[in-house]
Amino acid sequence: MDELVPRDFETLRATILDRRETLPKRIAQIAAYALDNPDDIAFGTAASIAASAGVQPSTLIRFAQQLGFDGFTSLQQVFRERLRERNSSYDERLQALRAKADAGAGHRAIFDGFVAAASTSLNDISRTLDEAHLEDAIALLAKADTIYVLAKRRSYPVASYIAYALGKLKIRNQLIESAAGLNAEMVAFATPADAVIAISFSPYAPATIEEARIISEQGVPIVAITDSSFSPLAQFAKVWFEVAEADFAGFRSLSATMALAMALTVGVGEKRRSAGKKRKA
Amino acid sequence: MDELVPRDFETLRATILDRRETLPKRIAQIAAYALDNPDDIAFGTAASIAASAGVQPSTLIRFAQQLGFDGFTSLQQVFRERLRERNSSYDERLQALRAKADAGAGHRAIFDGFVAAASTSLNDISRTLDEAHLEDAIALLAKADTIYVLAKRRSYPVASYIAYALGKLKIRNQLIESAAGLNAEMVAFATPADAVIAISFSPYAPATIEEARIISEQGVPIVAITDSSFSPLAQFAKVWFEVAEADFAGFRSLSATMALAMALTVGVGEKRRSAGKKRKA
DNA sequence: GGGAATATGAAATAATAATTCCAATCCATA
DNA sequence: TATGGATTGGAATTATTATTTCATATTCCC
């Protein structure tokens, strides 16, 4: 043995590419197949992989041995490890990144942390979103005259994006902003024929809660996006979604909330378009 | 057989959680282990998994059979398929989802589309972000008296989040909003001792470009987040980032931009904190 | 073109892993 | 507390899969 055995996928890949020219035909064939279909190597049996690649199982083993492994099985470990890595819970990565950032490991670590927090949140909501709630919420919003959008502080960016998207889709909407202190008046215009999208996470902005309470007492149905069933928003809402956003460096991600918000918005647009002919006539 | 066999991981997971209460002790033990360590199930052998979970291999097989599989092997397929899925390029998934949404496959497909678009964008920026630019941008912003934040329309939510985060971090900042039409005056206050974060994507909001031009002519350094080197913002900027956001149903994701924006913001906070003693004294 | 070294195919063999079976144990119920 | 049914442990069996072997083919020098 004149060499170290590649223990991780990237090294292995580099080694293979490096020797590509010098490999015998069939071995090169399996080498190419391995780089093109790493998942198959990870999961398949020697026989099945060999068949897919159009070689004999023994060739596959020779390939592994040529790379310094003692057999196909240990080569396969590297491919499996790769999947594990790639897949290793974002939560763990996030944990590691938080530690790294705390230790002052540069700004790239901070950036990676935010990316990981966003990814975690997206994974999470993807798993937990209740489809029936989504349908209910869209149905409710689609028949509203005006959609009011209510969110402050940290959640405000989501509200402003919803308002932008609704505008683009030509859906009448009103963002309840606090700039001029006219919120109470704005809220007073809402009727049961309208609807509200309200967004708030712990610690809940008091103004959001208060306005949600008032508006629900006027009989206006509310779709809420919040973070737990104990949220005061949940009790005012006709339909509510629980969204758990991962946080990093003290700032929670908005990615999951954004995705849900956009799905609601575009969903409403779709629903109106397909139901439009009847009503608008 | 009184039931359908779960063919995908999510269904399987739901089935397991559903029956958790009614399962015999050892079976419940392996069930919990399976949900906690899905990767181990995907790659391990019946014997190794059983050992890790503290049960007999036969129990593992009974577990599988109880769920309707005909053995451990077919149960394992589901866990392997999950890894394959998770790992299969988000781009391909996005493609499929777009088609599905176009075909009117319900609102869940729309939601999945936005999640996939966000994930794709995050993956992408994670790969392509230039670390040196990040350092430069943070250095530039950290020494600014006031950070001006400039973005309209689609990018406005990002700007508002930046402003919120800067405020939280006690960093003086000014969001250039258009509400009262006083932008020109606001912009006129900026000096070369300040800095700007400007965000704009094609089709570039004319107001953003115009204000960026004016402010750069006043000698105020600009950090830009935009989508190509041809962007008019890029030419006014001292440092600029290229961010490619995937789009779905006509709306581009903001997740990558958000992650970058947060990294800049928190990065500036960090830098100020570590340099603070010198300057503030 | 001849011959040695190398590469390949196919089947035999060895290893490993899944499954089955049965005795022992646990648990609920009368 | 006895009894039947369900559950569990552990070894025996069966199936599957990796590896080895050897005969055959190919390639590369001289």
Side-chain angles (χ1 to χ4, degrees):
Chain A
M1 294 300 120
D2 58 337
E3 72 216 315
L4 269 292
V5 182
R7 301 204 40 69
D8 68 285
F9 185 76
E10 278 314 317
T11 312
L12 177 59
R13 181 197 183 79
T15 310
I16 292 173
L17 289 174
D18 194 45
R19 302 210 200 146
R20 201 195 335 224
E21 300 302 323
T22 78
L23 292 173
K25 192 165 60 158
R26 290 272 116 111
I27 308 260
Q29 189 175 330
I30 194 79
Y33 182 86
L35 293 186
D36 284 351
N37 309 68
D39 289 9
D40 289 352
I41 307 282
F43 291 121
T45 67
S48 71
I49 296 164
S52 306
V55 301
Q56 291 289 326
S58 44
T59 305
L60 182 46
I61 285 155
R62 286 179 196 124
F63 168 60
Q65 289 171 340
Q66 199 146 129
L67 290 166
F69 298 97
D70 51 45
F72 164 69
T73 308
S74 31
L75 169 71
Q76 193 177 40
Q77 293 312 324
V78 175
F79 283 79
R80 293 187 164 182
E81 205 44 54
R82 163 174 164 276
L83 280 190
R84 276 188 129 95
E85 283 302 313
R86 266 268 263 281
N87 216 54
S88 81
S89 138
Y90 267 105
D91 284 334
E92 288 166 31
R93 278 184 54 195
L94 195 50
Q95 218 54 34
L97 285 166
R98 274 195 261 254
K100 213 168 154 191
D102 281 350
H107 297 123
R108 171 79 201 199
I110 295 177
F111 170 75
D112 288 339
F114 282 112
V115 170
S119 295
T120 304
S121 305
L122 287 168
N123 274 352
D124 210 67
I125 196 179
S126 206
R127 255 209 346 270
T128 61
L129 183 83
D130 185 324
E131 205 158 334
H133 285 177
L134 185 62
E135 296 299 334
D136 292 350
I138 290 172
L140 192 159
L141 294 169
K143 55 178 208 248
D145 278 349
T146 297
I147 296 177
Y148 287 82
V149 186
L150 174 57
K152 316 267 149 137
R153 303 177 55 77
R154 194 175 73 81
S155 308
Y156 176 76
V158 182
S160 67
Y161 200 34
I162 293 177
Y164 166 79
L166 287 172
K168 273 273 189 196
L169 294 169
K170 309 245 162 62
I171 296 171
R172 199 188 318 164
N173 71 92
Q174 179 64 56
L175 184 55
I176 303 176
E177 306 205 59
S178 36
L182 293 170
N183 291 7
E185 287 79 352
M186 255 186 217
V187 164
F189 287 134
T191 77
D194 299 325
V196 181
I197 301 178
I199 306 165
S200 185
F201 296 92
S202 165
Y204 313 101
T208 306
I209 304 305
E210 180 59 9
E211 288 164 16
R213 191 184 59 72
I214 294 171
I215 212 165
S216 78
E217 282 169 2
Q218 291 169 218
V220 189
I222 297 182
V223 172
I225 301 178
T226 187
D227 56 0
S228 97
S229 43
F230 302 114
S231 159
L233 260 198
Q235 65 188 95
F236 300 133
K238 268 248 159 53
V239 185
W240 65 275
F241 297 92
E242 178 169 341
V243 176
E245 296 272 11
D247 78 303
F248 188 81
F251 293 95
R252 256 166 287 181
S253 160
L254 290 180
S255 55
T257 313
M258 280 280 187
L260 175 54
M262 291 316 294
L264 286 173
T265 308
V266 172
V268 170
E270 286 263 305
K271 188 151 202 125
R272 290 226 178 157
R273 204 146 15 97
S274 57
K277 284 147 207 155
K278 258 173 268 175
R279 282 208 328 260
K280 284 268 166 142
Chain B
M1 294 297 123
D2 59 337
E3 70 214 320
L4 268 292
V5 183
R7 302 207 36 69
D8 67 284
F9 185 76
E10 279 313 317
T11 312
L12 177 58
R13 178 196 184 82
T15 309
I16 292 173
L17 289 174
D18 194 46
R19 304 212 199 145
R20 199 193 339 222
E21 300 303 321
T22 78
L23 292 173
K25 192 167 57 158
R26 289 273 116 109
I27 309 260
Q29 189 175 328
I30 193 80
Y33 182 85
L35 293 186
D36 283 352
N37 310 67
D39 288 10
D40 288 353
I41 306 282
F43 291 124
T45 67
S48 71
I49 296 165
S52 306
V55 301
Q56 290 291 326
S58 43
T59 305
L60 182 47
I61 285 156
R62 288 179 195 122
F63 169 60
Q65 287 170 342
Q66 222 167 102
L67 290 166
F69 297 95
D70 49 47
F72 165 70
T73 308
S74 29
L75 169 72
Q76 191 176 42
Q77 291 314 323
V78 175
F79 283 79
R80 291 186 165 184
E81 203 46 53
R82 164 175 163 275
L83 282 189
R84 278 186 128 98
E85 283 301 312
R86 267 271 261 281
N87 222 46
S88 80
S89 142
Y90 265 106
D91 283 334
E92 288 167 29
R93 280 183 56 192
L94 193 51
Q95 218 56 33
L97 286 165
R98 273 197 259 256
K100 213 167 155 191
D102 281 349
H107 297 121
R108 171 78 202 199
I110 295 176
F111 170 75
D112 287 339
F114 282 113
V115 170
S119 294
T120 305
S121 304
L122 287 167
N123 275 352
D124 211 66
I125 197 178
S126 206
R127 261 210 337 274
T128 60
L129 182 84
D130 184 324
E131 204 156 335
H133 284 177
L134 185 63
E135 296 300 334
D136 292 350
I138 289 172
L140 192 159
L141 294 168
K143 55 178 210 249
D145 280 349
T146 298
I147 297 177
Y148 287 82
V149 186
L150 173 57
K152 317 267 148 135
R153 304 174 56 75
R154 193 174 76 83
S155 308
Y156 176 75
V158 182
S160 66
Y161 200 35
I162 293 176
Y164 167 80
L166 286 172
K168 274 272 189 196
L169 294 169
K170 310 245 163 64
I171 295 171
R172 196 187 319 165
N173 70 93
Q174 179 64 57
L175 183 55
I176 304 177
E177 307 205 58
S178 34
L182 294 169
N183 291 7
E185 287 79 352
M186 255 186 216
V187 164
F189 288 132
T191 78
D194 300 324
V196 181
I197 301 179
I199 306 163
S200 185
F201 296 92
S202 166
Y204 314 102
T208 307
I209 304 306
E210 180 59 11
E211 288 163 16
R213 191 184 58 74
I214 294 170
I215 213 166
S216 79
E217 281 169 2
Q218 290 169 218
V220 188
I222 298 182
V223 172
I225 301 178
T226 187
D227 55 359
S228 96
S229 45
F230 302 114
S231 157
L233 261 196
Q235 65 189 96
F236 300 132
K238 267 248 162 49
V239 186
W240 64 275
F241 297 92
E242 179 169 341
V243 176
E245 296 271 12
D247 79 303
F248 188 80
F251 293 94
R252 254 165 288 179
S253 158
L254 290 181
S255 54
T257 313
M258 280 281 188
L260 176 54
M262 293 315 295
L264 285 173
T265 308
V266 172
V268 170
E270 286 264 304
K271 188 152 203 125
R272 289 228 177 153
R273 201 146 18 98
S274 58
K277 284 148 208 158
K278 257 173 271 173
R279 280 212 327 264
K280 283 269 165 140

